[in-house]
Structure formats: structure tokens, C-alpha cells
Amino acid sequence: MLRENINDLIALAAVAEERSFTKAAARLNVSQSALSHTIKGLEKRLGLRLLTRTTRSVAPTLEGEDLLATLNPCFEKIEARLQALNDSQDQPTGTVRIVGVEYAIETILWPKLSPVLKQYPSVNIELVMDYGYTDLASSQCDAGVRYGDQVSDGMISMRIGPDERMICVGAPDYFDVAGVPQAPQDLTDHRCINLRLSTHGALYAWEFEDQDGNEINVKVQGQACFNTIHPVMRAAVDGHGLALVPDRLAAPEIAAGRLRTCLEDYSPAFPGFHLYYPSRQRPSSAFQVVLDALRHKD
């Protein structure tokens, strides 16, 4: 009977963990209708209702929870053993998929992971650019990158980059004509280059902090708007207004004299990029290689 039901039990565990047929189907790479049919068949054979379904969520019944309490430790032991066998190979093997913003991919992920591909031919790395707070399960990503103060609870977090600062910059010609803002509130009188966030479709409110540590958020206006940070900085270099960009990104343009800074006293440092992944995830040999390569060294 176990041989007949093992795939169905795996499907049950996935639905219970994801609390969603849609997410579980994506994780198992099957259609939602096929997954629903599988669960209904398992329930019919056992003569038990294992899941409670509503229009918004899915949750195990008492009988389902009792069954999963037995199954999950067994699955974890099997997975751990399979992983140990995989790790015993001479070369790390597997694919690691990481989601992050373009700035993190270009300045941290790719520079650190490019040598990994050359050193380990059996390791594959996929980097996915997304400015939204991507759900790892639904996107089928192994890990994501966010600033340290934005990592969700329940995730393992590892620093992969230095602290960051967002600084206000503009072209010298712009400052010559429009003047230099002395406080964040002055930005409402300036042309600014907006960044639209994909998570809610809203414009990013520029964030500052006064000398007492109080937050100051300013909604700015201007003719130009982008949904990634690199063209925001390019528009500032071209004289279309002020931009709020990471200091490491703007450093070469500042050094070359194409950009100047302002409001630096209102731009504190904050925790830099961190890699995050589910606490239940057991690192594969490929994932462990990626962790070692990305770990930030002071």
C-alpha cells in the first residue's frame, strides 16, 4: 500500500506546507487540477478527510495533522540521507536559483558567483531580477536577496555585502540652475527622478533621517520615472533632476565629476544585502558552494 500511496503522500505534505494548491502544484511541477485529483483519491482510499478547503486557504484536518506528524520526520530523514549521498560526490552538483534586484545582481551576486561557475562545472546558477518582495516558493527560487532590515521572520539570513547608504545626487549643471536643497523637505521644490516599486506599483518615497534619528519620508515629483535603479542614476547624470541612489553605485560618477551629492547629513547607513532562504531548507552541495562564495568578509 505504501508503494501505491507514496507520491500521493508527498503531494499531501506539499499542499499542507504551502497552504495552497496553486503553490504546491508549482513546487511539484504538476497542474492544480491533477494535484486536487490526487488528494481526493488519497482521501477516498483512506476514507478520511485530510484537508479543509476554503476559497482563501487550505489547512490540514485533525486526521491530516496526525498523519503529517508521522510523515514529515520520515521525509526529512530520507531527504537528509539523499543529500548526504549527493554531497559525497567529488564535485558539487545542482542548480541554485536566486532572486534579487538588479543592483544586487550586478554588484554582489554575479561578481562573487562568476568564479564558482568556472571552478565547479556541475553547478548551475540562475539569477532572477525582481524589485518586488518575491515569494520564494511561488517563484521556485532557492534564495533571495534583500537589505538586512527587510528579511522576513522564519528565514535564515546571511550577510553578503557591506552596509549601504542611499544618497541624493544631481548633475553639477542642475545644481547651478536649481540650487542645492538644504533639508529633505526642500525636495518638493526640485525636479526629481522617481523609482516605481513593482510590489504595489507605488512610487518609492525617499527616505532620510534627521540628527535625532527621526525618519523623514518625502514624496518627490519629476518628469522621469523608472522601475530599476540604473536608469534613475543615468537620468541624473543627464541633468533631468535629483536622484536617490546607493552610494556605491554613484561613486564612479561622483569621482568623475558627473554627479555631486547633497543632504549627506540626512543619509545614514543601513544593513546591506543579505541572502535569505527558508529555515527548513537543507543546503545542497551546490547551494553550500554558493553560500561559501557569497558570505561577506569584513
Side-chain angles (χ1 to χ4, degrees):
M1 188 174 179
L2 176 60
R3 182 176 299 177
E4 297 174 358
N5 290 318
I6 186 65
N7 290 333
D8 297 353
L9 294 172
I10 292 172
L12 172 67
V15 175
E17 186 173 331
E18 298 294 347
R19 302 283 170 146
S20 164
F21 274 91
T22 302
K23 293 181 179 179
R27 173 173 153 185
L28 297 171
N29 197 27
V30 299
S31 69
Q32 186 174 342
S33 60
L35 181 59
S36 178
H37 180 75
T38 295
I39 299 299
K40 288 179 180 178
L42 177 62
E43 290 178 324
K44 184 177 180 179
R45 289 196 302 276
L46 296 178
L48 296 171
R49 189 173 182 82
L50 301 174
L51 296 173
T52 299
R53 305 162 178 82
T54 68
T55 55
R56 294 188 176 182
S57 65
V58 180
T61 62
L62 291 177
E63 293 82 359
E65 288 182 351
D66 184 61
L67 178 59
L68 289 166
T70 302
L71 289 176
N72 287 335
C74 296
F75 286 151
E76 289 176 1
K77 289 180 180 178
I78 294 170
E79 184 179 354
R81 183 54 184 160
L82 291 174
Q83 191 59 64
L85 291 172
N86 184 61
D87 290 343
S88 67
Q89 299 180 57
D90 293 336
Q91 285 290 326
T93 303
T95 297
V96 179
R97 197 166 191 255
I98 305 174
V99 61
V101 297
E102 180 184 21
Y103 171 53
I105 291 174
E106 292 192 359
T107 63
I108 294 179
L109 294 181
W110 183 243
K112 289 187 175 185
L113 295 180
S114 175
V116 170
L117 297 180
K118 295 181 179 179
Q119 185 176 358
Y120 301 102
S122 297
V123 171
N124 303 316
I125 294 172
E126 183 175 350
L127 303 179
V128 182
M129 197 278 286
D130 191 341
Y131 270 72
Y133 288 142
T134 302
D135 177 75
L136 296 183
S138 62
S139 64
Q140 296 182 302
C141 287
D142 300 290
V145 174
R146 292 182 188 171
Y147 287 123
D149 56 357
Q150 298 173 347
V151 176
S152 304
D153 292 337
M155 292 285 176
I156 294 178
S157 175
M158 182 188 78
R159 177 184 283 271
I160 62 173
D163 283 351
E164 299 273 357
R165 288 177 71 221
M166 297 294 286
I167 57 172
C168 190
V169 297
D173 290 347
Y174 175 84
F175 286 121
D176 291 342
V177 174
V180 179
Q182 300 302 308
Q185 293 84 350
D186 297 341
L187 292 170
T188 56
D189 298 324
H190 284 262
R191 285 187 290 123
C192 297
I193 303 153
N194 265 306
L195 175 69
R196 187 172 296 281
L197 303 175
S198 60
T199 309
H200 303 294
L203 296 177
Y204 168 61
W206 291 15
E207 299 173 285
F208 299 93
E209 190 176 288
D210 66 20
Q211 303 306 308
D212 296 322
N214 300 311
E215 293 183 2
I216 304 173
N217 295 332
V218 182
K219 293 185 177 180
V220 299
Q221 301 292 327
Q223 292 177 283
C225 180
F226 304 90
N227 67 348
T228 61
I229 199 67
H230 284 80
V232 169
M233 188 180 69
R234 176 52 50 192
V237 171
D238 293 341
H240 291 287
L242 301 178
L244 193 69
V245 296
D247 59 351
R248 290 193 300 118
L249 184 64
E253 301 294 343
I254 294 172
R258 290 186 287 269
L259 288 176
R260 285 166 40 193
T261 63
C262 62
L263 303 176
E264 289 203 60
D265 290 342
Y266 296 90
S267 302
F270 56 88
F273 285 120
H274 284 59
L275 188 81
Y276 67 95
Y277 55 97
S279 56
R280 65 178 182 275
Q281 180 171 321
R282 296 179 182 275
S284 65
S285 57
F287 194 76
Q288 189 60 57
V289 166
V290 167
L291 288 179
D292 294 340
L294 290 178
R295 193 180 308 276
H296 179 64
K297 301 175 178 61
D298 294 326

